[in-house]
Amino acid sequence: MNKLTLIFAVVALLNGCGGSETKTTPVVTNPDQTIPPTKVDTLPILKMDGVVSLKAEVDTETVFDIEEQDGDALSVVFSNPPNWLTYSIVGNKLKIKTKPTLFALGDYDLPFTLSDGKNSLAFTLKLTVEDNPAKWATLLLDEQALHGVWMNETGDQTFSFMHNRQGYWINSNGEVKRFAHSLSYSLALDLSEVGCRAEVCETLDTMEIRPIAQAGNRIRFLVSESGKEDYSITLIKPSMSLNNGAYTIKNSEPKVSYVGVSIVDTTTDESSIQVSYDIQANGNSSSWYLMQTAYFPIAFKGGATELPEYTYQDSFSIRNENTFELEDVQVTYRVNANIMGATAQHLFVEIETIGEPNNLKGQISDYSGLSDLVKQRHFVSLLEKLDAAPAIEFVPGTSYLTRLYEKAQTISDPNYYGGSLTFTLDDATTGKAYVQKPDLEEVFTVPFNYEFEAGKFVVTTDGQVEAKRFYQFPNGQTGMTLKYTHPETNTTSYTLYAVKPVNITANKNDYLGTFEILDNEYEGEKRYFTLTSDGKAVWSGALDAIPRFLTRYENDGSLSLLYDGYCEFPDQLFDDCLAFSKKTNPDTYYLLNIKLVHRVGDHYGLAYSVNSTYGFYNSLRSLKKVN
């Protein structure tokens, strides 16, 4: 074939293919060979089953075998292991080394992952740590190490240890006990009622706590309680954080209606702490005792709290024919308080008092018994948080019993308002209060404006505005706060007064008879009030006590009593005896005023006021007529 024929043959071949599409055929270089499959990773198998049991303070190594068919390098990661556990992989073995502490008792579920570099598997290591009494330590805690507020890990038990070897225990049921304790390898706690005086507390039960382990701010104790098996508890000293709210000094029973309160509000400069302490003197045949209350304004600085020193002066007339006869002993007291700890519901306050005699000649030791007046003493106060109560739904036209005003401290000040007090709301914005002066010689009205603001009762009188908050007493009553600033020390304090609608108008016959006081503050002792038809009354612990106090029925339906008045003649009238007592013995008598505000059957509710040169207080008392 010549060249021309070859060219045409090629053209004809192209025309036969259409000239616009090219098809290719894959070339197989080795038609007998197949493509190899992808290799599948074989997951490792960890041979681990059941729960690993450990003993505290014992070194233990636990080994688990791992099957790894592919020869891959293995790794393991625990998400949050305890600091007494370490782990590693050596060859095809997982090694767990442990030495749990005496604080690490209990069950653990520890998640971890095992990886061969390609895939990961999730597992859980189950451990249980048992106690090891053979490793318990013998610890002697000094007072400084023990001092403070301690809580268990679940937060439902609290122990407070004060410098004077007193403290409080709040158990898991919320019951509060006061204790005095020894300081040794084992602490013996004598448990008593929370409201008792340290010198006369009756031991109701005992508890022994023995420290068996200590680590940082944690101490583990072995606890022995009567009637229970021994158990251990771990106590931790938490950082102190004050919770805003109103607190009251914790009493044995929720009885009293009159309560001085501590207000904690870290957002303002109007916070104060109320504490209680006592002063006393002892002679050969008599003893003398007085409970005092002090308020400390709180300064909040950088999260810390500061309480200033509180100073006051008191005078005493103490006679004991066997040892001394002294009148008008003047003593200046310096009172220091320190908030040593706080929980969600309690404040723990330590108080130190030091008395300095101003007018004694010679050494204080020359006057047997008076040394108690001036020696350094320590006290503890437990403050319990009050629940916020809903604001009372005041109804215009209705009268209510509570206190609204307080301007001065002493009964001799003309601005001092005492006695019974009720107020009536005239309409939705105005009202008037009926105030009886402490000398019981004048009753006057004070007009005021009011409004409700975010659950507060805002009262305006004489251009002064005060927002009153509502809190619930431990006995369930609703109380309203009254702020008071001492005119000399400028110390701010708060009082909580129960608020009740007045639903009865009393006459003199309503007070006749003998009544048992149901909300009595005297532990283990009944108290009675008796009024006879000749106008004599008595407030006593004896049912058959002879009435001797003079009384006067007031225009507002209340009854006034002259308590321990000194009368010139035995049959002197109330007004004459009051005038004589004011002139000759102004520091020794009290004026009591009671007003019936509720009555259901034999149960009576009385507004109760006490006024003297030392101050006043108001409360609501529950009584039951027995005769």
Side-chain angles (χ1 to χ4, degrees):
M1 182 182 295
N2 58 26
K3 292 182 180 179
L4 183 60
T5 304
L6 178 61
I7 292 172
F8 281 120
V10 173
V11 172
L13 178 62
L14 292 176
N15 290 336
C17 294
S20 61
E21 181 178 356
T22 302
K23 292 184 179 181
T24 60
T25 301
V27 178
V28 178
T29 57
N30 185 2
D32 298 326
Q33 183 177 346
T34 59
I35 300 175
T38 302
K39 186 177 181 181
V40 178
D41 181 41
T42 303
L43 297 177
I45 300 175
L46 177 62
K47 298 179 178 181
M48 182 180 67
D49 190 20
V51 179
V52 179
S53 295
L54 306 173
K55 264 192 175 297
E57 296 296 337
V58 174
D59 286 299
T60 303
E61 183 179 79
T62 305
V63 179
F64 301 103
D65 291 326
I66 307 173
E67 288 187 4
E68 169 51 51
Q69 298 178 359
D70 301 330
D72 295 328
L74 301 175
S75 63
V76 65
V77 176
F78 279 77
S79 59
N80 189 25
N83 57 10
W84 42 264
L85 181 149
T86 59
Y87 56 89
S88 62
I89 288 185
V90 180
N92 282 4
K93 295 182 182 296
L94 170 60
K95 294 186 175 182
I96 307 290
K97 292 183 178 182
T98 54
K99 189 179 181 180
T101 70
L102 288 168
F103 295 95
L105 309 184
D107 298 326
Y108 296 83
D109 290 338
L110 304 178
F112 67 94
T113 56
L114 176 65
S115 174
D116 61 359
K118 302 182 182 69
N119 293 285
S120 296
L121 297 174
F123 296 91
T124 298
L125 175 63
K126 294 182 176 293
L127 303 176
T128 182
V129 181
E130 299 175 355
D131 203 358
N132 191 356
K135 295 293 184 177
W136 288 353
T138 300
L139 300 175
L140 178 61
L141 301 175
D142 60 31
E143 191 169 340
Q144 188 61 37
L146 195 61
H147 179 261
V149 174
W150 300 77
M151 300 182 66
N152 67 339
E153 294 172 303
T154 56
D156 61 357
Q157 290 202 56
T158 303
F159 288 82
S160 65
F161 296 95
M162 317 305 199
H163 281 310
N164 59 349
R165 298 190 183 179
Q166 297 180 50
Y168 292 102
W169 171 45
I170 305 175
N171 65 22
S172 56
N173 296 323
E175 300 169 333
V176 182
K177 298 294 182 183
R178 183 171 181 161
F179 64 77
H181 68 87
S182 61
L183 194 61
S184 181
Y185 294 99
S186 183
L187 283 70
L189 276 59
D190 295 327
L191 304 177
S192 57
E193 291 291 344
V194 63
C196 69
R197 287 176 49 211
E199 292 83 356
V200 294
C201 283
E202 176 186 0
T203 299
L204 303 177
D205 205 347
T206 59
M207 171 192 291
E208 184 178 342
I209 59 174
R210 172 190 162 195
I212 57 176
Q214 183 176 14
N217 68 340
R218 295 193 300 169
I219 303 177
R220 186 177 164 208
F221 291 91
L222 181 67
V223 181
S224 298
E225 287 188 68
S226 59
K228 293 184 178 181
E229 291 186 4
D230 292 355
Y231 62 93
S232 70
I233 184 173
T234 296
L235 300 182
I236 303 171
K237 187 180 289 187
S239 58
M240 187 175 70
S241 178
L242 297 183
N243 291 289
N244 290 346
Y247 295 79
T248 181
I249 296 176
K250 174 68 176 177
N251 292 305
S252 300
E253 298 291 340
K255 298 175 180 176
V256 295
S257 298
Y258 167 84
V259 183
V261 296
S262 302
I263 300 293
V264 176
D265 187 348
T266 57
T267 64
T268 71
D269 58 356
E270 294 186 350
S271 295
S272 68
I273 290 292
Q274 181 209 34
V275 297
S276 62
Y277 57 94
D278 62 67
I279 50 181
Q280 65 180 18
N282 296 297
N284 288 344
S285 61
S286 65
S287 62
W288 180 89
Y289 161 81
L290 177 66
M291 178 64 74
Q292 296 279 24
T293 301
Y295 282 91
F296 296 85
I298 307 176
F300 298 101
K301 295 184 177 180
T305 60
E306 292 185 3
L307 302 181
E309 184 178 80
Y310 178 87
T311 302
Y312 79 100
Q313 180 174 303
D314 221 330
S315 298
F316 312 97
S317 296
I318 306 173
R319 297 183 181 182
N320 187 313
E321 59 185 13
N322 297 320
T323 54
F324 56 81
E325 184 173 342
L326 295 172
E327 295 188 16
D328 297 328
V329 179
Q330 294 183 2
V331 181
T332 296
Y333 287 95
R334 290 185 291 112
V335 184
N336 295 297
N338 174 55
I339 304 176
M340 61 169 293
T343 65
Q345 293 297 321
H346 295 93
L347 295 179
F348 300 85
V349 184
E350 284 187 305
I351 306 102
E352 175 193 63
T353 65
I354 303 174
E356 298 173 348
N358 302 335
N359 61 341
L360 286 179
K361 296 180 181 180
Q363 299 295 319
I364 192 69
S365 58
D366 295 339
Y367 307 97
S368 175
L370 278 183
S371 58
D372 287 332
L373 282 174
V374 297
K375 73 179 182 181
Q376 184 181 24
R377 304 182 70 204
H378 293 88
F379 305 88
V380 296
S381 274
L382 175 63
L383 308 182
E384 186 172 57
K385 192 174 183 181
L386 296 171
D387 294 330
I392 297 245
E393 294 186 7
F394 292 121
V395 179
T398 303
S399 295
Y400 297 87
L401 172 79
T402 192
R403 286 192 61 83
L404 290 180
Y405 313 109
E406 183 179 17
K407 291 188 176 181
Q409 183 197 24
T410 61
I411 195 171
S412 58
D413 193 309
N415 290 321
Y416 178 81
Y417 296 164
S420 62
L421 185 146
T422 57
F423 69 89
T424 300
L425 302 183
D426 297 326
D427 52 40
T429 59
T430 63
K432 53 180 175 292
Y434 305 93
V435 184
Q436 186 173 54
K437 297 295 287 293
D439 54 14
L440 303 178
E441 293 178 354
E442 181 184 358
V443 178
F444 60 98
T445 61
V446 179
F448 62 87
N449 296 323
Y450 73 94
E451 63 179 337
F452 291 100
E453 179 182 299
K456 295 179 291 186
F457 185 53
V458 183
V459 179
T460 304
T461 179
D462 297 332
Q464 300 295 318
V465 180
E466 184 178 346
K468 301 175 183 300
R469 301 176 183 269
F470 297 89
Y471 295 97
Q472 190 174 60
F473 288 107
N475 60 9
Q477 294 178 346
T478 296
M480 189 166 62
T481 55
L482 172 71
K483 184 177 77 172
Y484 166 60
T485 301
H486 193 290
E488 297 177 359
T489 64
N490 204 35
T491 301
T492 299
S493 61
Y494 294 84
T495 308
L496 198 61
Y497 289 100
V499 185
K500 287 282 189 179
V502 178
N503 66 353
I504 193 170
T505 301
N507 58 60
K508 193 170 186 178
N509 291 332
D510 291 316
Y511 301 99
L512 292 176
T514 299
F515 301 81
E516 180 184 350
I517 305 169
L518 300 180
D519 53 356
N520 171 34
E521 69 269 27
Y522 294 88
E523 291 296 329
E525 179 184 352
K526 288 188 175 182
R527 305 288 290 181
Y528 300 94
F529 166 73
T530 298
L531 176 67
T532 59
S533 57
D534 62 354
K536 298 291 183 62
V538 64
W539 205 284
S540 172
L543 184 60
D544 57 353
I546 299 175
R548 59 187 179 88
F549 302 140
L550 297 177
T551 64
R552 183 179 70 191
Y553 181 71
E554 308 294 348
N555 292 332
D556 66 347
S558 64
L559 187 73
S560 299
L561 292 78
L562 185 56
Y563 192 94
D564 275 351
Y566 284 76
C567 301
E568 190 173 7
F569 305 105
D571 296 328
Q572 203 160 11
L573 297 177
F574 182 98
D575 293 345
D576 295 333
C577 186
L578 176 60
F580 185 78
S581 298
K582 285 182 178 181
K583 181 178 179 181
T584 58
N585 297 281
D587 294 335
T588 56
Y589 74 91
Y590 290 83
L591 293 172
L592 276 67
N593 182 268
I594 59 176
K595 184 174 184 178
L596 182 62
V597 293
H598 286 282
R599 182 174 58 201
V600 179
D602 291 335
H603 287 77
Y604 288 64
L606 296 182
Y608 176 85
S609 304
V610 177
N611 303 278
S612 73
T613 55
Y614 298 107
F616 76 91
Y617 72 84
N618 290 56
S619 70
L620 288 178
R621 312 301 290 265
S622 297
L623 291 83
K624 181 180 180 181
K625 195 167 187 176
V626 296
N627 185 13

